[in-house]
């Protein structure tokens, strides 16, 4: 395909996409194996359009394949028709996808919410065990401190007595 033909085809693809109310990303999402960057290169005539991609683009934008590939005066009619019919379909598909994702997220939130009481109960038990251990350790430390203090006093008393004798 000559550069002029590739550019003209790319322009028709872009016109069909825009008339259908689709972004490059939006159109590429509906065509398996086609990425937005590839679509951008097709639209400026830098990359050849594969046959299956052309069929998918024509279908997604509701433009006659022959008119998309060859172009003619009636292409504008197809673009107007695509604007009337494809955009609501595209929006409906996107809303349906969004609703499904929202249901999935809601179910995940409900599942996590069900787990919260169990986690809280488990954490409360762990905190109680930690406090008991702290109290036991504190008691042991207090007892040990008293024992050491008693020993110090016991050692100091004879010294005090000796000092009194002198």
């Amino acid at each position: 395909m000559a550069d002029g033909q590739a550019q003209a085809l790319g322009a028709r693809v872009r016109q069909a996409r825009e008339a259908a109310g689709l972004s490059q990303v939006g159109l590429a999402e509906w065509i398996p194996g086609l990425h937005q960057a590839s679509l951008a290169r097709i639209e400026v005539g830098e990359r050849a359009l594969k046959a299956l991609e052309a069929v998918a683009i024509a279908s997604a934008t509701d433009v006659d394949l022959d008119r998309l590939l060859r172009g003619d005066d009636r292409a504008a009619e197809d673009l107007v028709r695509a604007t009337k019919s494809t955009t609501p379909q595209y929006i409906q598909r996107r809303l349906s996808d969004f609703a499904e994702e929202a249901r999935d997220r809601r179910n995940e939130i409900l599942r996590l919410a069900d787990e919260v009481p169990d986690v809280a109960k488990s954490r409360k038990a762990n905190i109680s065990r930690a406090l008991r251990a702290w109290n036991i350790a504190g008691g042991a430390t207090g007892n040990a401190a008293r024992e050491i203090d008693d020993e110090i006093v016991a050692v100091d008393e004879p010294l005090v007595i000796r000092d009194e004798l002198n």
Side-chain angles (χ1 to χ4, degrees):
M1 191 178 307
D3 286 323
Q5 289 176 326
Q7 289 174 344
L9 174 59
R12 288 192 298 275
V13 168
R14 181 180 44 76
Q15 289 170 346
R17 175 184 58 76
E18 289 174 348
L22 298 171
S23 66
Q24 287 179 342
V25 171
L27 180 57
E29 284 178 353
W30 295 106
I31 303 172
L34 183 65
H35 300 283
Q36 179 273 328
S38 298
L39 182 57
R41 291 182 57 224
I42 289 168
E43 289 184 358
V44 295
E46 292 177 357
R47 179 184 176 277
L49 180 64
K50 297 175 184 174
L52 293 175
E53 293 169 344
V55 171
I57 290 171
S59 175
T61 60
D62 198 29
V63 172
D64 181 72
L65 179 62
D66 185 53
R67 290 189 183 126
L68 180 68
L69 295 176
R70 295 189 313 166
D72 69 12
D73 293 337
R74 289 186 285 170
E77 295 171 19
D78 285 340
L79 294 177
V80 169
R81 186 167 42 96
T83 302
K84 290 179 182 174
S85 64
T86 304
T87 301
Q89 291 171 4
Y90 171 75
I91 291 170
Q92 184 61 40
R93 285 187 299 228
R94 297 296 286 178
L95 286 174
S96 187
D97 291 346
F98 176 77
E100 183 177 342
E101 186 173 332
R103 277 190 301 273
D104 290 345
R105 301 240 174 160
R106 178 182 171 271
N107 290 338
E108 180 68 11
I109 289 169
L110 290 174
R111 184 187 66 76
L112 292 171
D114 287 342
E115 292 177 7
V116 166
D118 295 335
V119 170
K121 194 182 297 181
S122 173
R123 287 194 176 158
K124 183 178 178 184
N126 287 342
I127 290 169
S128 295
R129 281 191 291 260
L131 285 173
R132 279 193 300 268
W134 177 264
N135 289 334
I136 290 169
T141 303
N143 289 338
R146 277 189 293 279
E147 288 174 14
I148 291 170
D149 192 42
D150 289 344
E151 289 177 17
I152 292 171
V153 168
V155 169
D156 282 347
E157 284 179 9
L159 294 174
V160 171
I161 294 171
R162 286 186 190 153
D163 286 341
E164 289 176 5
L165 294 175
N166 289 329

